[in-house]
Every structure is written in C-alpha cells, then in structure tokens.
Amino acid sequence: MRTGRLDTDNILVLHEDPAWDREQKSEPSRSKNPIIRVSDYLPYRVTLEVDTPRRGFVFLSDAFFPGWRAYLDGRPARMMRSWVAFRAVPVRQGRFRLEFRYEPTALRLCVLLGIAVILCWAAFYLRRIFRRAEEFPKEDSLGGCARI
C-alpha cells in the first residue's frame, strides 16, 4: 500500500465486525493457499467446495441481496456484506462445502398464502357440493312412487 492504492487482492472490507477471537490461531496445513472449486452455479444456488489451511473469509463477488442465505456443510452460516455490495462468509480451517441459496421470505409467504387460498376455495367448493346433494329429495319422500 506504499503507492497509495488499496490492495484489493489481499484486503477485504467488511461492513460489520466478524466477532472472532483475535487471539485464536489456525493450525498449519500442508497446502499454503486456500482452494475453492465452484461445483454448482445457478441463478438460485451457488455451491463451493472449500479447502483452506487457515480460517478466513470466502468472498463472492455476487450482489449482496436480501433473501440469500449461506450454509456451511448444510448448517446455516453467517453471511456478511463486503465492499458495499458483495458477499463474504467467515470460514474455519479445513475442508467443507459452502452453499449460497436464494430463499426470499416474501416468496415463502406468497407460497403459503397461495396454499391457504387453494384450501379455502376447495373447502367452499366441497361445502357447496354437499349442500346441493342435501337439497335433492330422497326416494322415500316421493310417496312410494318409483323413478323411471
């Protein structure tokens, strides 16, 4: 940083404190550099295979947007805003699977609301059918006359 430029390859700007124990050290590993392999990249899901010799952050230069969730080996993980508009996840040392899923709350609410509307409509429709069935006279009420 002697030239007055920010070294964006080695510095990560976070918009909140990662709340780590700053005294805790990572155990050394055989590999010196983290290895991150993209195993799945879809509009609603990004899956990464991560092998890192020390704890740190996985930075994804996709937009930080409400509804995105992070999971480390299937368990919810903390996702942080980085560089104003991007995503970063604090990770431990070792091998694991990191998955970003788009799970917006509004979509879940709309699906639940849609199911509730369908169930109410079905209940109303079935009730109407049963009421009409009760309105038809039974054979006994025809005064002993048989239908032809």
Side-chain angles (χ1 to χ4, degrees):
M1 203 155 146
R2 291 181 193 151
T3 62
R5 293 184 184 188
L6 188 61
D7 183 8
T8 57
D9 290 340
N10 295 308
I11 294 175
L12 184 66
V13 174
L14 298 172
H15 295 263
E16 55 188 287
D17 185 5
W20 275 351
D21 178 7
R22 285 162 176 60
E23 300 301 318
Q24 181 184 2
K25 301 286 183 190
S26 297
E27 295 294 321
S29 175
R30 281 184 261 153
S31 68
K32 294 182 180 181
N33 293 319
I35 299 169
I36 300 175
R37 186 177 66 81
V38 178
S39 59
D40 205 10
Y41 196 96
L42 300 168
Y44 56 90
R45 183 180 68 232
V46 178
T47 306
L48 308 172
E49 303 296 329
V50 180
D51 183 8
T52 179
R54 59 196 165 278
R55 70 181 185 165
F57 293 90
V58 171
F59 172 76
L60 189 65
S61 61
D62 287 351
F64 184 94
F65 191 77
W68 279 99
R69 310 270 185 260
Y71 297 89
L72 275 172
D73 288 332
R75 289 185 224 129
R78 182 177 181 197
M79 188 170 57
M80 304 169 74
R81 185 181 297 258
S82 175
W83 289 107
V84 179
F86 304 112
R87 299 181 251 174
V89 176
V91 295
R92 63 187 185 276
Q93 172 187 355
R95 287 182 160 197
F96 51 88
R97 179 183 178 149
L98 176 60
E99 188 174 15
F100 295 92
R101 294 184 212 150
Y102 187 60
E103 301 171 338
T105 306
L107 178 63
R108 287 183 181 182
L109 290 174
C110 287
V111 167
L112 290 175
L113 181 63
I115 290 170
V117 167
I118 289 170
L119 290 175
C120 288
W121 177 83
F124 174 76
Y125 184 73
L126 290 174
R127 183 175 172 212
R128 193 171 177 193
I129 288 174
F130 287 124
R131 276 192 177 173
R132 283 189 179 170
E134 289 175 358
E135 291 175 5
F136 288 116
K138 299 193 177 39
E139 284 189 38
D140 315 8
S141 64
L142 295 176
C145 298
R147 289 187 180 185
I148 301 177

